[in-house]
Amino acid sequence: MTLEDGFHEVPNGHLATVVTYLEMHAPVAARPEHGRSERASFDLRRVERPDVAWYRALFRRVGAEDWLWFSRLIIDVAELEKTLHDPRVEVYTFGEDAGLLELDFRQPGECELAFFGLDPALIGQGAGRWLMNRAQDLAWRDGINRFHLHTCTMDSPQALDFYRRSGFTPYKREVEVLPDPRLSGDLPENAAPQIPILR
């Protein structure tokens, strides 16, 4: 419902987030890397045909508690497995299952950075920059012409600027209204306390 020009009411039990889409059309120079984490070594391992339960546990670890990631928790298991086992979808784990990198090459000539996240304990230790440099190496290795992603205002406040500093350019913005996953039981009610629940 429009309240006045530019304002729209969000129903109770729902969330609203601004989604920003970003892209690059050529590789950019890797940003300097520094720092090491005490909790995880800086290494990356591809997980071939990942087990859904393992994947969902990692997905929760890096995105659910702080940022309300839930899309891969509510999707049908068979559908999720089909995506994860597609040879054009690459799933990587960072360190001792402390980060997730998922690259989707299903669109010819393109790579989507489908998911990129770290255990919150690693934020600010250089791990994000290290992981993004690896992501760009992997994405561009086979001659794609576009690398793209989207982020939203429920993600880390640093995410959008991080992606821009990494060489991505914003090209589109949308507003998404969605049911609050904490009220459906898909996430615990104490997840992302910085985003209030409106019943």
Side-chain angles (χ1 to χ4, degrees):
M1 174 174 72
T2 301
L3 302 178
E4 58 182 273
D5 289 345
F7 290 87
H8 302 273
E9 185 172 352
V10 177
N12 283 351
H14 287 68
L15 300 168
T17 184
V18 178
V19 182
T20 302
Y21 296 80
L22 304 99
E23 64 185 358
M24 63 173 68
H25 291 275
V28 297
R31 296 182 67 216
E33 299 169 6
H34 54 80
R36 284 291 182 268
S37 167
E38 296 176 0
R39 293 190 56 191
S41 60
F42 279 26
D43 64 351
L44 196 63
R45 174 177 59 90
R46 183 169 180 188
V47 181
E48 303 276 356
R49 299 178 61 83
D51 173 74
V52 168
W54 170 86
Y55 175 91
R56 283 181 165 168
L58 180 57
F59 186 88
R60 282 182 181 275
R61 180 176 182 183
V62 302
E65 182 176 333
D66 290 331
W67 317 121
L68 297 185
W69 287 16
F70 72 100
S71 60
R72 291 293 178 83
L73 304 178
I74 62 171
I75 191 173
D76 178 77
V77 170
E79 185 179 348
L80 178 56
E81 189 172 72
K82 181 180 177 183
T83 297
L84 297 177
H85 293 182
D86 189 309
R88 298 165 297 175
V89 174
E90 300 179 2
V91 175
Y92 297 85
T93 181
F94 173 85
E96 298 297 320
D97 289 348
L100 171 64
L101 170 63
E102 185 175 331
L103 301 173
D104 188 336
F105 292 90
R106 288 178 292 180
Q107 187 69 30
E110 299 186 359
C111 177
E112 179 184 6
L113 183 61
F115 290 98
F116 181 96
L118 292 166
D119 184 306
L122 294 175
I123 304 299
Q125 300 184 35
R129 183 179 297 185
W130 186 94
L131 186 58
M132 178 56 74
N133 284 344
R134 305 291 87 68
Q136 293 197 25
D137 289 344
L138 291 165
W140 290 104
R141 72 185 187 271
D142 291 329
I144 61 167
N145 53 47
R146 180 173 179 253
F147 188 25
H148 64 100
L149 63 95
H150 66 271
T151 187
C152 74
T153 50
M154 292 193 304
D155 279 335
S156 165
Q158 295 100 345
L160 181 56
D161 190 48
F162 171 79
Y163 292 132
R164 293 176 67 198
R165 290 195 317 270
S166 298
F168 291 92
T169 300
Y171 70 92
K172 184 173 76 169
R173 185 177 293 127
E174 294 178 337
V175 174
E176 181 182 12
V177 176
L178 62 157
D180 192 322
R182 297 167 296 184
L183 295 178
S184 62
D186 294 307
L187 292 179
E189 287 200 11
N190 63 355
Q194 75 277 12
I195 303 172
I197 296 175
L198 301 178
R199 298 179 188 277

